[in-house]
Amino acid sequence: MTPERPMLIEARGISKQFGGVEVLSDVDLDLHVGEIHALLGENGAGKSTFAKILAGVHSPTRGTLKLNGQTVDVSSPIAAQKLGIALIHQEPVSFPDLSVAENIVMGRQGGGLLSRVPWATIIADAERYLDMLGVSLDVNRPMRGLSIANQQMVEIARSLASDSKLIIMDEPTAPLTPREVDTLFAIARRLREEGRTIIFISHRLEEVRMLCDRVTIFRDGAHISTQSIDSISDDEIIRLMIGRTLKKFMRKHVAEIGETALEVSNLTLPGLFEDVSFSLRRGEIIGLGGLVGAGRTDVARALFGVQPAASGRISIGGSDATIEKPTDAINLGLAFVPEDRAGHGIFATLPVEHNLTAAIPGKVAPRGFISRKVERSISQKAVSDLSVRLASLRQPIVELSGGNQQKVILARWLLTEPDILILDEPTRGIDIGVKAEFYDMIGDLAEAGRAILLISSELPELLSLCDRILVMSEGRVTAELPRGEATQENIMQAAVPRSGVAA
Amino acid sequence: MTDSAQSAIRELAPARPTWHVVLVRPETMTFLLLIFGLVGASFLSPFFLDASYILRSFTLTAEMSIVALVLTMVVISGEIDLSPAANMALSACIFAWAQEAGTPLPLAVIVGLLAGLAMGALNAFMSIRMQLPSIIVTIGTLIFYRGLAQVIAGDRSIRVPDSFIGINTIMIAGIPLPVVIFVGVAVLLGLVLGTTVVGRQIYQIGTNQAAALHAGINAKRIKVGLFLVLGVVSAAAGMMAASRLGSVRYDLVLGGELQMVLMAMLGGTYIFGGRGTILGTFLAAWLLVIVSTGMTVANLLPAIQLTVLGILLIVAIIATNFIYARTQR
Amino acid sequence: MTFLRSILLRREAGILIMIVIFCAAVGLYKPQFLTGQSLRIVLLLTPLIMIGAMAQMLVLVARHVDLSIGSMLGFSAMVVGLMYREIPDIYWLVGFPVAILTGAILGLGNGLLVTIFKLPSIIVTLGTLSLYRGLTFIISDARQINRSVIPTELKAMSRTSPIFDIPWIILIAFGIAGITYVIARHTQLGRQIYALGSNPEAAPLRGIDVTKVTLIVFTLAGALSGLAGILYASRWGFVNPSNTGAGFEFQVIAAVVIGGVSINGGVGTVMGTVLGVLLLGCVAAALPLLGIPGSTQNAIYGAVILIALLIDRSVRQRGMISVAGAAK
């Protein structure tokens, strides 16, 4: 403890398990009073989990937290608020129908349910806090309809109202315009001068460099390094973020690449992605890399007609295609294994069988009536082809493990005999053994002449499976790397938004 | 994301034994209750050992039971409709009013059915097209349809022609026609729900509409179709009631929405969609007849049945929620 | 003045304008509509609905709905009626705490079912709608409480009061509206109800005890229905097990949604609700004058609910567009 820079937070051995998987292991971190501290790391590196533990959203499985030298128990968001820790979400949680002023004070007032609401004080306080931030907002207007930037300002005003000493900003700048970012940074610096500590989570190195004093890098749930921002280069940061040992998985055969299956030009959906162009050939696996929120899933959804693009051209097998709804895409030979398996993939309580055949009604019911025999034989073949482990085809699919659920969803789409397969994070949340099976399957599919678009946040996965890798950043394709040239470094370089790229 | 990570860790579960799957189903409970009710009731009165007595009693609620079968499909698809009882009244009033005004009987029937179709269409427009919650929408249309029936019929009862009266006295192999129709509709809908693609997709939509969309299932079209069918069937049921009663008043099956929802819930249909069977509602319809005739035979006030219905509804929902929570791991 | 706020204001101003136009139009056709006498009729038609509407408003703002309000009214009225019949010597004012307490217990029952079993309030209250009505038959033995049983003082409350001869029940109804305004606007409880309805997921994060607030809302709705129950006995002089309060919930919902209370929770004002009630009252009073049968009233209520739902939706959509626009 240096005397001129007292400690605000001392975290020791913070670990967090979710259902047996350790997502954060033994993290030690010190935060000084009056510093802006960046947390950096790949998707899933544990930085957001750590932030949520500080803010009482999650409680750690192990480890201790000290605040101003005293051990504290941050058991809930309310407890965190009382201790002066505030978490500003990217898209803040608010009560849209209540006024700005009420959103600033809600949860802070004491008193019983029948005690009076001191409107005059509330409004005066709210105005004062917003004034401190240099924001002019009508505090009597409802939250609904406020811009994201202003909602964040209200959240920050909230943290001032509870006199927070530690303010955690989780990727606050992603939805903001450059001017709004400037305003936010000015405010952050002012808060630092007042002696408050800020944790700043961002993917944008440029912003981190502009704003922060120190930077901590997370990787695979572990604390890797904490350094002063002036003593570390961008390249060094990126190296530390990815530096995982590359357990390279090798495709058995690289498939023969055939004619063009899918060609996308200038696909645009304002706010999500812009000007995306690429072509995909039979037998080819194209990887789509980038950070969460880069627009990769949105491109996939647009291709499959879940949320069609506003402009741009899609051609399939050489002719122009109109895809307005998933049925159009299916008829054109597309298949899409979505990222959110529970929300968009499985019918949780329905039998495995019904999940398998959901996309091929014509095959199991040639004349509108389902033939149990046909369905059973199709299903049996599908589960044995992909070696799905299950007790019975009649079992509800939720009873299967994640990996086996995913196999069922993949099998559902293989049954449609697609020419083009879009796989969105197909191996997320799947254990290592099953992952290897998936890699084999994906390789085999390409070999069988299918065109595959693989979205993945795992760099080794992209590097070992793909013939080409496209990298997206903030809605645009920022790099196209052939198999031979792609490395973890140059993918990450293209994925992390930096000056010149983000503009 | 953490949720999916959590669910991914779940071990591969051993299959539940078949007896367990069969026994822990709400329909099984309904069936056992039905047997229990029959035995209890036959102690109460020997009438209950007389099948024709039960069948005659059933004609009193056959119309609502038929509608409840279609309503079951709507609930499985993840929507609800509280307006069918009002639809029955309005369709019947329009039908009676049309034939009273001189429209030939077959044409009047068609007018009644079209009215029902239009009412289904309004429900579908508000809940599917305008994406308002169907439960609130159909409270609005329930008041609206019932109000229109009141406008048409006022406080009087409109007589229907003698040739149209007496559907419940027509016997087919000793079984009243309404009961035959009910059984027929149950078989038909059971087949649709159990053996056709559309039936399969109704369950899929109700289980997870987003996943259904991603699998290329046109949820909106199916739901609109269900509302339309429910509208037409309600109209047909309304006219059956008119035939049984011989006249039509605006308060025909007043409050019947409660009984229809109750039949579906008591048969194990899950209020949040995705689960339920025609068989369950079929059994529940008989169970309700046993319960209400039992109470009548026991000389309990008819109005007390309201209390019992209300309690049954709440208990049925709690029980099905509980059973489904246990089997969904 | 911001966008949505101005719409809400416009909503209340809009209802007011509708009332004025409606009354003017009817008045042109039938001048006797614009007399103090018909104002009295309008006001006498509305007190029960006004009280019920305050109850339903609080429930809807909390993102629930209570369909059992009419049955709670009927049951409470019957309990009071039986009390007056069985204990004729009882001081007549005792009826008020008895009715309110009875209603509160029934409302608490709804609240417990909703919070303990996590059931949708609309289905629970559809069940208790029937359950409470049936109980009314059971306790009354399906017999009506007649005029002679209801204390004269109670009946007199619907005719007069010392204050400008305005009947007590009108004063009580407006008093309840005033109290509801204070609760909704100026107590922590009221603000927590709005917060809960506005964003139920965020409410616990801000230290709101969701279970407690939900229970209070349903209990309040029951208590107000109970009060409406005894006023029913005052107004009509009898209590009938099947008619008293039947269909009341629908009139109340109509009034509330016209008044701009959102079915999606979080939105609604006492002012709007009062105006919604008055508009319905004007319509009800005008129908007989215009020679339109009273039987059209329910159809009008139903149509009005549907239109209000559509308006509510379009307001919400415009609100969403402005959010999206701002995010750009």
Side-chain angles (χ1 to χ4, degrees):
Chain A
M1 274 195 222
T2 37
E4 70 273 17
R5 283 235 153 168
M7 293 296 182
L8 179 71
I9 296 272
E10 294 161 78
R12 289 292 173 267
I14 301 286
S15 304
K16 178 68 186 172
Q17 290 193 338
F18 282 119
V21 172
E22 194 146 86
V23 291
L24 208 60
S25 42
D26 285 321
V27 171
D28 296 347
L29 187 65
D30 293 334
L31 296 171
H32 299 304
V33 170
E35 72 164 335
I36 302 183
H37 195 114
L39 295 189
L40 290 171
E42 271 190 291
N43 303 331
K47 49 192 192 309
S48 288
T49 309
F50 182 72
K52 283 180 178 162
I53 286 175
L54 288 181
V57 178
H58 298 317
S59 45
T61 319
R62 270 179 289 118
T64 56
L65 271 182
K66 278 188 182 174
L67 181 73
N68 292 322
Q70 293 197 314
T71 305
V72 290
D73 181 16
V74 194
S75 52
S76 69
I78 298 288
Q81 185 180 320
K82 288 198 177 116
L83 292 167
I85 302 171
L87 174 61
I88 317 277
H89 293 272
Q90 186 183 92
E91 298 195 1
V93 178
S94 69
F95 301 107
D97 303 305
L98 301 192
S99 69
V100 167
E102 280 195 279
N103 270 284
I104 290 176
V105 299
M106 180 60 76
R108 226 167 39 80
Q109 309 122 292
L113 284 175
L114 286 180
S115 57
R116 245 183 111 249
V117 177
W119 280 108
T121 330
I122 287 175
I123 288 167
D125 280 0
E127 275 169 351
R128 188 157 54 85
Y129 293 122
L130 286 173
D131 274 353
M132 281 166 70
L133 297 175
V135 181
S136 62
L137 261 183
D138 176 7
V139 298
N140 289 311
R141 64 156 290 162
M143 281 295 274
R144 194 188 295 283
L146 225 51
S147 73
I148 301 270
N150 279 331
Q151 289 183 41
Q152 286 180 353
M153 293 305 153
V154 171
E155 277 291 280
I156 295 172
R158 237 186 93 70
S159 68
L160 295 183
S162 50
D163 195 23
S164 296
K165 296 296 179 221
L166 173 63
I167 300 170
I168 306 165
M169 301 184 183
D170 192 353
E171 295 202 45
T173 57
L176 303 187
T177 63
R179 278 192 58 187
E180 291 168 339
V181 171
D182 288 345
T183 315
L184 179 70
F185 284 7
I187 286 167
R189 293 193 188 100
R190 200 170 327 146
L191 295 173
R192 170 172 61 187
E193 273 152 37
E194 289 170 13
R196 300 180 207 273
T197 304
I198 294 174
I199 290 182
F200 182 74
I201 301 178
S202 174
H203 285 308
R204 297 175 174 168
L205 290 187
E206 178 200 13
E207 291 177 358
V208 168
R209 218 162 260 293
M210 277 168 58
L211 184 66
C212 300
D213 306 307
R214 293 197 303 158
V215 44
T216 290
I217 293 147
F218 278 71
R219 187 205 314 150
D220 295 339
H223 171 261
I224 300 300
S225 172
T226 298
Q227 301 196 27
S228 157
I229 190 75
D230 302 325
S231 62
I232 186 168
S233 68
D234 281 7
D235 289 345
E236 178 72 2
I237 290 175
I238 287 175
R239 196 184 60 72
L240 289 172
M241 278 165 69
I242 54 181
R244 72 170 65 158
T245 45
L246 195 57
K247 279 177 289 187
K248 198 145 182 172
F249 165 88
M250 275 304 155
R251 264 166 77 185
K252 282 181 283 189
H253 314 280
V254 174
E256 197 169 309
I257 292 181
E259 80 260 33
T260 304
L262 170 73
E263 184 145 11
V264 175
S265 35
N266 308 108
L267 212 60
T268 299
L269 185 53
L272 294 173
F273 54 85
E274 245 165 277
D275 230 357
V276 173
S277 305
F278 64 90
S279 71
L280 176 60
R281 293 188 287 170
R282 285 178 164 278
E284 191 180 29
I285 305 177
I286 291 191
L288 200 47
L291 300 162
V292 166
R296 299 170 301 165
T297 297
D298 303 300
V299 170
R301 287 163 62 88
L303 287 176
F304 199 64
V306 177
Q307 192 184 10
S311 63
R313 251 186 59 226
I314 302 172
S315 82
I316 287 169
S319 49
D320 275 1
T322 319
I323 300 178
E324 277 163 355
K325 50 186 189 300
T327 330
D328 298 338
I330 295 170
N331 292 337
L332 289 162
L334 261 80
F336 175 40
V337 175
E339 173 188 19
D340 178 2
R341 190 168 53 234
H344 300 150
I346 62 168
F347 301 107
T349 52
L350 297 183
V352 173
E353 221 173 358
H354 298 194
N355 274 282
L356 271 172
T357 57
I360 47 158
K363 281 189 193 166
V364 292
R367 282 179 302 278
F369 288 94
I370 292 167
S371 154
R372 302 244 158 166
K373 229 169 65 194
V374 173
E375 177 168 49
R376 180 55 56 94
S377 73
I378 289 179
S379 310
Q380 231 136 27
K381 182 163 182 312
V383 299
S384 74
D385 281 355
L386 298 193
S387 51
V388 182
R389 282 180 55 207
L390 78 180
S392 150
L393 282 170
R394 305 213 59 87
Q395 196 172 12
I397 192 170
V398 275
E399 294 184 357
L400 305 188
S401 71
N404 281 301
Q405 289 180 14
Q406 189 71 321
K407 280 185 182 175
V408 171
I409 300 301
L410 181 61
R412 173 195 294 170
W413 289 110
L414 294 183
L415 288 172
T416 67
E417 295 172 12
D419 297 322
I420 303 157
L421 250 170
I422 306 168
L423 307 173
D424 194 355
E425 304 280 2
T427 63
R428 168 165 297 163
I430 288 175
D431 35 292
I432 306 288
V434 184
K435 259 187 189 175
E437 284 182 57
F438 264 96
Y439 296 154
D440 276 335
M441 280 188 272
I442 294 169
D444 292 347
L445 289 169
E447 212 175 324
R450 304 190 198 281
I452 295 171
L453 182 65
L454 172 68
I455 300 174
S456 175
S457 296
E458 291 191 31
L459 297 178
E461 196 168 292
L462 289 174
L463 287 168
S464 51
L465 282 171
C466 300
D467 298 299
R468 262 188 304 152
I469 296 168
L470 303 178
V471 185
M472 284 186 74
S473 178
E474 313 211 308
R476 290 165 179 278
V477 175
T478 49
E480 179 168 346
L481 305 161
R483 184 178 179 80
E485 290 171 25
T487 61
Q488 297 204 48
E489 282 78 10
N490 56 21
I491 294 176
M492 217 47 190
Q493 299 273 10
V496 175
R498 284 192 290 181
S499 50
V501 177
Chain B
M1 257 174 275
T2 41
D3 285 338
S4 67
Q6 272 171 302
S7 68
I9 312 305
R10 206 184 293 115
E11 281 300 312
L12 187 63
R16 289 180 289 132
T18 317
W19 65 264
H20 192 251
V21 176
V22 174
L23 213 62
V24 188
R25 287 191 70 90
E27 296 91 327
T28 316
M29 301 294 156
T30 316
F31 183 69
L32 292 177
L33 278 176
L34 181 58
I35 300 295
F36 186 73
L38 257 180
V39 172
S42 56
F43 273 111
L44 214 62
S45 152
F47 277 130
F48 277 95
L49 295 175
D50 179 4
S52 70
Y53 177 74
I54 295 179
L55 289 176
R56 271 202 311 281
S57 311
F58 192 84
T59 55
L60 300 178
T61 54
E63 302 99 13
M64 275 194 279
S65 308
I66 292 168
V67 179
L69 294 170
V70 187
L71 181 63
T72 303
M73 293 169 79
V74 173
V75 176
I76 294 173
S77 81
E79 301 288 332
I80 198 165
D81 189 346
L82 297 177
S83 72
N87 180 332
M88 285 169 72
L90 178 53
S91 309
C93 284
I94 288 176
F95 154 76
W97 170 74
Q99 61 81 26
E100 197 188 42
T103 317
L105 194 59
L107 204 59
V109 170
I110 291 172
V111 167
L113 292 175
L114 285 179
L117 185 71
M119 284 181 251
L122 179 59
N123 286 338
F125 170 78
M126 296 284 288
S127 359
I128 309 301
R129 183 71 222 289
M130 303 311 278
Q131 296 182 346
L132 291 161
S134 53
I135 198 153
I136 298 280
V137 165
T138 55
I139 284 186
T141 54
L142 140 71
I143 303 166
F144 184 51
Y145 300 158
R146 184 71 74 183
L148 286 181
Q150 209 173 345
V151 171
I152 289 174
D155 276 336
R156 70 203 182 98
S157 51
I158 311 176
R159 277 197 61 77
V160 296
D162 289 343
S163 60
F164 192 75
I165 296 177
I167 191 172
N168 53 320
T169 59
I170 301 172
M171 294 286 171
I172 293 174
I175 301 168
L177 183 58
V179 181
V180 175
I181 296 177
F182 169 69
V183 173
V185 172
V187 170
L188 181 73
L189 294 183
L191 284 176
V192 168
L193 207 49
T195 68
T196 68
V197 170
V198 173
R200 180 69 63 80
Q201 292 183 338
I202 290 172
Y203 283 103
Q204 287 166 337
I205 295 165
T207 306
N208 187 342
Q209 184 157 351
L213 175 72
H214 278 81
I217 297 167
N218 194 339
K220 282 192 178 181
R221 197 167 61 193
I222 290 176
K223 285 184 173 180
V224 168
L226 285 173
F227 273 113
L228 294 181
V229 172
L230 185 54
V232 173
V233 172
S234 304
M239 287 183 277
M240 281 173 66
S243 163
R244 174 169 59 83
L245 298 166
S247 67
V248 176
R249 281 171 51 88
Y250 83 92
D251 58 359
L252 180 82
V253 289
L254 187 68
E257 56 278 348
L258 176 78
Q259 279 195 55
M260 298 184 211
V261 172
L262 174 56
M263 284 179 206
M265 298 297 136
L266 206 53
T269 309
Y270 189 42
I271 184 72
F272 299 111
R275 295 160 184 242
T277 55
I278 294 294
L279 176 66
T281 306
F282 179 85
L283 293 172
W286 290 103
L287 175 60
L288 275 189
V289 168
I290 302 292
V291 169
S292 57
T293 23
M295 287 193 294
T296 313
V297 169
N299 267 332
L300 292 175
L301 275 171
I304 293 176
Q305 296 179 11
L306 276 179
T307 319
V308 177
L309 292 185
I311 293 174
L312 273 177
L313 177 64
I314 293 167
V315 171
I317 298 172
I318 294 173
T320 46
N321 278 7
F322 182 72
I323 288 176
Y324 285 136
R326 289 290 293 271
T327 51
Q328 180 181 350
R329 314 149 19 113
Chain C
M1 276 302 119
T2 54
F3 178 64
L4 197 86
R5 196 173 186 81
S6 64
I7 280 189
L8 284 180
L9 275 182
R10 237 187 279 159
R11 180 69 174 259
E12 280 147 22
I15 310 163
L16 195 60
I17 292 168
M18 274 170 72
I19 293 176
V20 171
I21 292 177
F22 180 82
C23 292
V26 176
L28 272 178
Y29 188 61
K30 294 273 173 187
Q32 68 264 42
F33 187 66
L34 298 179
T35 57
Q37 184 54 33
S38 76
L39 177 69
R40 198 183 162 92
I41 292 173
V42 170
L43 289 178
L44 266 175
L45 280 168
T46 51
L48 302 186
I49 297 182
M50 181 94 79
I51 293 169
M54 291 304 138
Q56 192 68 274
M57 184 196 96
L58 291 176
V59 178
L60 278 177
V61 166
R63 217 184 263 199
H64 283 286
V65 67
D66 191 340
L67 298 182
S68 71
I69 282 185
S71 296
M72 295 195 289
L73 183 157
F75 186 85
S76 310
M78 186 55 77
V79 167
V80 173
L82 290 171
M83 182 186 79
Y84 288 138
R85 194 177 72 193
E86 302 306 318
I87 320 171
D89 300 334
I90 199 161
Y91 182 51
W92 67 281
L93 271 177
V94 175
F96 279 87
V98 168
I100 292 170
L101 193 67
T102 309
I105 292 169
L106 299 182
L108 181 65
N110 286 334
L112 288 173
L113 286 169
V114 168
T115 51
I116 294 177
F117 296 104
K118 308 254 177 294
L119 298 175
S121 54
I122 197 153
I123 294 289
V124 166
T125 54
L126 184 65
T128 53
L129 156 79
S130 168
L131 169 58
Y132 296 159
R133 177 65 59 191
L135 290 177
T136 310
F137 278 99
I138 292 175
I139 57 168
S140 65
D141 216 8
R143 291 199 343 251
Q144 175 168 315
I145 301 291
N146 290 322
R147 258 198 106 70
S148 54
V149 173
I150 310 291
T152 324
E153 297 92 328
L154 184 59
K155 284 182 282 194
M157 287 182 77
S158 295
R159 287 196 298 275
T160 181
S161 79
I163 305 159
F164 300 119
D165 207 24
I166 301 167
W168 270 112
I169 58 168
I170 296 174
L171 297 176
I172 292 174
F174 279 93
I176 290 295
I179 292 170
T180 311
Y181 171 78
V182 171
I183 290 178
R185 184 72 191 155
H186 290 291
T187 66
Q188 300 287 353
L189 171 66
R191 300 325 291 167
Q192 293 197 3
I193 294 173
Y194 279 82
L196 173 61
S198 189
N199 189 346
E201 285 80 38
L205 299 178
R206 296 284 187 266
I208 293 172
D209 186 337
V210 176
T211 306
K212 190 162 149 193
V213 173
T214 310
L215 284 177
I216 291 175
V217 165
F218 276 102
T219 309
L220 269 179
L224 288 175
S225 307
L227 175 63
I230 188 166
L231 295 185
Y232 182 100
S234 159
R235 176 77 178 81
W236 304 105
F238 67 89
V239 182
N240 182 291
S242 69
N243 292 339
T244 298
F248 182 64
E249 54 277 345
F250 296 141
Q251 299 175 14
V252 163
I253 290 175
V256 169
V257 294
I258 297 171
V261 179
S262 166
I263 51 162
N264 293 294
V267 176
T269 61
V270 169
M271 195 52 179
T273 305
V274 168
L275 289 172
V277 171
L278 290 180
L279 179 57
L280 282 191
C282 290
V283 173
L287 290 182
L289 264 182
L290 296 172
I292 299 170
S295 57
T296 53
Q297 204 171 322
N298 282 328
I300 292 172
Y301 287 164
V304 147
I305 291 179
L306 295 179
I307 293 166
L309 284 176
L310 288 175
I311 292 174
D312 194 35
R313 177 180 179 276
S314 69
V315 169
R316 209 161 14 108
Q317 276 220 325
R318 269 188 277 171
M320 266 187 285
I321 288 162
S322 82
V323 173
K328 272 298 299 165

